[in-house]
Each structure stands twice: as structure tokens, then as C-alpha cells.
Amino acid sequence: MKAVIIGAGMGGMSAAIALAQLGVETHVYERVTENKPVGAAISVWSNGVKCLNYLGLAEETAALGGIVDTMSYLEGYTGATMCRFSMRPLIDEVGQRPYPIARAELQSMLMNHYGMDRINFGMKMVDVEDGPDAATATFADGTTVTADVVIGADGANSITREYVLGAPVTRRYAGYVNVNGLVAVDDTIGPATEWTTYVAEGQRVSVMPVAEDRFYFFFDIRGEPAGVGGDIQAELRRHFAGWAPGVQRLIDTLDPATTNRVPIFDLDPFHTWVKGRIAVLGDAAHNTTPDIGQGGCSAMEDAIALQWAIRDHPGDVRTALQIYQASRSQRAADLVLRARRRCDVTHAKDPDATADWYAELRKEDGSNIIRGIVGNIMGGPLTQPQRP
């Protein structure tokens, strides 16, 4: 069997590795000419870590991951602790520590494991079409490639998705811009082994550890994307004026040249992921906000589910893809909608609901938050009570 994967992001590379494990002939095509991930880091929750472990990357993942022993919420203006709790109950319940990981390093790990020289860079797909005996992808330089299956892991603005659905779809702006990057660990901002989040007025400032004594940081700024531009430190000082000393220290410390501005969008869930020999995966199938940290993890789950479907139906690609779709679309849709609900509360779409959440945080012992995180983690191919 020959498989073409469009996109060398986390989902595409996970799919390529997973299918190669079966002995499938895989070919990866990526439109960019070099590895430039959007965003500084990613929260790889326990379900995503289990996927990476399954793909043979357990040691590498642990080496890149930051150690998060505790989690805390602080009042944005005063810096007072609203709650702080251990992550140990979560780790014990799901059987795997989560790891925040620098996005470029995670991407490089996946690419190197698959084989960097096996990835076709600078290949922008402009068309894809199913046929009776093969599917065909066409690229901007005029080249075409045929395969038994084409997997569109081509991101939030997926061309493959348009073909599968028969029409383009419009993404929904979630109402905030995420500003993120990496800085050296600094205990005046937050403890070195803690995920620390400052909250106030529907905005967040957060730091979490990644490898090599660094924090991944992000600021959530409410409003339209056009309102966040120019001098990023000046913008952050304006949007977070009067916030706690730890927040001001973070703004002073960050490097504007390596800081990202990312307007946040998501996509209404849909359940048609497959058309004949062509399927979507990752953001192409379930573009989500990062509010529960499951976007990348869900893409990795897609890859494992795809592998299992093809493993169980090696001579019938169309049936395998339908089984892949049935196993994933509802789970992914649920996560998109959970993230959307969390986004709305976190970012004060209803100010009263957000005020109620802040009041709950001041009484929180961690059990409710951990219960919610566990609910997000459980339900994928490697977190079911029994694997097929």
C-alpha cells in the first residue's frame, strides 16, 4: 500500500510514522521549505504522550518535556494565590505524566524519527481528487502523485477538507489573540516546576516549564486581531497595565523577535472526514482553540486510529477510512466544543460566568480541575479501558 500525507505538522508526521510501522510506503509533502512551527510550545497531555510513546518516542519525549509537579492560579493584579495543587493525582489516575514541549523541538523529533530526507519540502498541494483505483494530489509546480490513500494533514486552511466536504468552510474567531514564546525560568514569574496562570478581566498570563530551564509563556488578549500589533512589549504593557510584578517581569524579559502573535480561531465540528480514498486528519478535521490543550494531542490520536483502521483492513482502503472516521469524529468534535466552552468562560464572553469561575478557583483544591482534565484525556485510542 502507498500512502501520501499532505502536511508535515504534528498530525502528518505522527500519521507517517504510524503507517510506516505497518510497512506502508509513505510519502510526506510539506508546503514550507523549512520547519517553522506556529507557536512556541505545546501542552502534550497524557493522551498525547501515550501516542508518542506508542510511536517509539518515549525517551525522546521525556527528554524534551518540562516537569510540571503543581498547577496554580493567581489573581492577575495582586499576584495572590487563588489555588495551588499537585498534579500527582492526575498522573496516578491516567498513568502518564504530561509534558509541555517546545513546538519546534517536538516537530524536529517527529521529522528526525521519520527521516528528514524522506520529507518533500516546498511542495504546496493545489488540488486533490479521488479515483476508482487511486487518489491523486497535484502540486503548485505541476507535479502530481498518486497513491492508494491520501491523508490531508494540511492544517486549519485545508484544501483536502474542501474536497472532502465539497465546499469551503469558515472558521470562527474565538475573540482573542494569543501572544507566546520562550524565556528562561525565573522564580519571580513562577516556580520552575509549576504551571502558573494569572487571571483577571477575562485575560490570562501563563508560564509552564519546558526542557533546558525554560518557560513557555502565553498572554491572552481579548479583542480583534487588528488591535494587537506594532511593538509587542508596548502592547502587552498596555493590555496588562497594573498586573502583578511577575507579569511585568515576564513582559520585560521576553524577546520580541521570537515572540509570536496568533489570532485564535476554531471550526464548527463536522463528521464527514472521508471521501473515497481521501481523508482529513488533525487541524484539517477538527480545528480547535488551545483552551484545553488538546489540539495536537487529538491529531496524534487520529494517527493511531488511522493506523489501527488500516491494520485491520489492509486490502480495503475505503472501508478502513470509514472506520477511522467513525472512531474519531465524535471524540474530536466533543473536544472542540469543550475547548470552545472553556474559551468562552476564560475570556469573559459572559462576565458573570467568568466571575463565578474566579470565585470557584478561590475555593478549589484541585479536584474539580483535575477531573476536567482527566475527562479531556480519556476517550482516545490509547486511553480506552481496553484497546482493540
Side-chain angles (χ1 to χ4, degrees):
M1 179 186 295
K2 178 181 178 181
V4 162
I5 293 99
I6 307 299
M10 278 179 288
M13 292 315 307
S14 296
I17 294 167
L19 294 183
Q21 285 182 333
L22 295 179
V24 174
E25 178 188 342
T26 58
H27 299 264
V28 178
Y29 294 85
E30 169 55 52
R31 65 181 179 85
V32 304
T33 56
E34 58 183 308
N35 177 22
K36 287 187 176 180
V38 176
I42 178 174
S43 300
V44 186
W45 286 102
S46 305
N47 52 321
V49 176
K50 287 187 176 187
C51 290
L52 292 169
N53 295 347
Y54 177 90
L55 295 175
L57 290 160
E59 291 185 8
E60 294 93 332
T61 300
L64 293 179
I67 300 301
V68 180
D69 287 331
T70 54
M71 186 173 179
S72 69
Y73 282 89
L74 310 182
E75 293 183 338
Y77 287 101
T78 68
T81 301
M82 301 168 83
C83 62
R84 174 175 285 114
F85 51 89
S86 171
M87 297 294 283
R88 176 49 57 185
L90 180 144
I91 297 166
D92 290 344
E93 183 166 353
V94 302
Q96 173 61 58
R97 176 183 286 278
Y99 291 117
I101 301 178
R103 188 177 285 264
E105 292 164 13
L106 174 58
Q107 194 64 37
S108 294
M109 177 185 75
L110 290 165
M111 289 178 169
N112 290 330
H113 187 75
Y114 176 73
M116 191 74 75
D117 58 343
R118 298 170 62 195
I119 302 169
N120 301 280
F121 288 99
M123 297 294 288
K124 180 182 178 182
M125 189 183 75
V126 295
D127 191 28
V128 63
E129 187 173 2
D130 187 33
D133 301 313
T136 302
T138 302
F139 298 92
D141 65 358
T143 24
T144 62
V145 60
T146 61
D148 297 294
V149 59
V150 172
I151 303 300
D154 48 345
N157 297 303
S158 169
I159 292 172
T160 313
R161 180 179 63 226
E162 288 193 16
Y163 176 79
V164 168
L165 293 178
V169 293
T170 301
R171 296 195 298 156
R172 180 197 74 117
Y173 180 54
Y176 72 99
V177 175
N178 184 272
V179 175
N180 63 72
L182 298 169
V183 294
V185 163
D186 183 336
D187 61 9
T188 66
I189 302 170
T193 58
E194 183 163 290
W195 180 1
T196 304
T197 302
Y198 299 80
V199 294
E201 297 184 340
Q203 299 194 135
R204 290 185 299 175
V205 179
S206 194
V207 293
M208 62 187 77
V210 299
E212 299 181 1
D213 295 320
R214 294 170 296 170
F215 277 145
Y216 165 52
F217 69 83
F218 66 80
F219 298 77
D220 287 349
I221 301 175
R222 295 171 61 202
E224 294 303 312
V228 184
D231 182 331
I232 191 60
Q233 283 173 306
E235 284 294 301
L236 291 171
R237 290 188 182 106
R238 179 169 69 86
H239 285 285
F240 296 93
W243 280 50
V247 174
Q248 305 309 317
R249 172 66 176 167
L250 177 57
I251 295 171
D252 292 341
T253 301
L254 65 83
D255 179 1
T258 59
T259 298
N260 309 285
R261 296 179 179 90
V262 185
I264 300 300
F265 292 82
D266 69 4
L267 195 60
D268 289 338
F270 58 94
H271 297 280
T272 300
W273 288 22
V274 170
K275 186 173 184 178
R277 297 172 176 271
I278 299 168
V280 289
L281 180 149
D283 278 351
H286 44 78
N287 188 204
T288 184
T289 72
D291 291 84
I292 61 171
Q294 281 293 327
C297 296
S298 193
M300 296 175 202
E301 289 187 350
D302 292 345
I304 306 305
L306 177 66
Q307 186 207 64
W308 289 359
I310 290 178
R311 175 199 66 190
D312 293 345
H313 300 273
D316 189 347
V317 166
R318 294 174 187 271
T319 296
L321 292 183
Q322 289 294 329
I323 289 171
Y324 157 69
Q325 172 184 276
S327 70
R328 289 299 301 155
S329 71
Q330 189 59 57
R331 157 80 171 159
D334 289 346
L335 291 173
V336 170
L337 295 178
R338 287 184 194 183
R340 183 178 291 183
R341 289 191 294 270
R342 174 49 49 197
C343 169
D344 289 351
V345 171
T346 301
H347 300 100
K349 295 294 180 67
D350 177 348
D352 290 339
T354 303
D356 289 344
W357 177 50
Y358 292 165
E360 291 168 5
L361 288 176
R362 294 183 181 95
K363 299 181 288 186
E364 180 64 63
D365 64 1
S367 57
N368 291 320
I369 294 173
I370 286 175
R371 187 180 304 113
I373 296 172
V374 169
N376 299 332
I377 289 170
M378 302 301 290
L382 294 170
T383 52
Q384 298 283 8
Q386 291 184 339
R387 277 179 40 204

